[in-house]
């Protein structure tokens, strides 16, 4: 964990289980108009291997942000708490 500022920032370092290079992941929330802007960054990729890894992870990030995250947000109640699962 590199930095936490509740509720606006979560920043941590990441290294895959094979001991690859250390990268940094950051999630940020900031007021934007009448809502909230969410920013996700995963940085620190270097060299040709880093270029290809960033490209591969790009599709994973896109799916996470366009499919996974909206599904979770839809399961939150008005207070930001996950609703209990339907029986």
């Amino acid at each position: 964990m590199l930095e936490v500022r509740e509720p606006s920032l979560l920043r941590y370092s990441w290294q895959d289980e094979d001991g690859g290079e250390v990268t940094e992941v950051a999630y940020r929330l900031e007021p934007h108009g009448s809502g909230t802007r969410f920013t996700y960054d995963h940085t620190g990729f270097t060299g040709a291997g880093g270029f290809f890894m960033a490209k591969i992870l790009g599709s994973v990030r896109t799916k996470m942000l366009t499919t996974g995250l909206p599904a979770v947000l839809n399961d939150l109640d008005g207070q930001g708490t996950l609703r209990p699962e339907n029986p």
Side-chain angles (χ1 to χ4, degrees):
M1 199 60 54
L2 299 173
E3 186 177 4
V4 176
R5 284 184 298 193
E6 192 176 334
S8 61
L9 175 66
L10 173 62
R11 191 169 64 91
Y12 57 92
S13 60
W14 175 266
Q15 184 177 36
D16 69 29
E17 60 190 32
D18 295 328
E21 64 187 327
V22 176
T23 58
E24 186 176 304
V25 178
Y27 300 93
R28 290 180 179 81
L29 298 173
E30 58 187 336
H32 182 73
S34 62
T36 303
R37 173 178 284 151
F38 171 75
T39 306
Y40 167 83
D41 292 307
H42 191 172
T43 59
F45 299 100
T46 59
F51 173 79
F52 289 112
M53 183 57 71
K55 288 291 186 189
I56 291 168
L57 291 176
S59 63
V60 172
R61 287 183 205 122
T62 298
K63 186 171 184 177
M64 179 184 77
L65 296 174
T66 61
T67 304
L69 183 61
V72 171
L73 294 175
N74 286 335
D75 284 341
L76 297 177
D77 64 19
Q79 303 302 311
T81 303
L82 281 173
R83 294 183 183 102
E85 293 184 70
N86 293 329

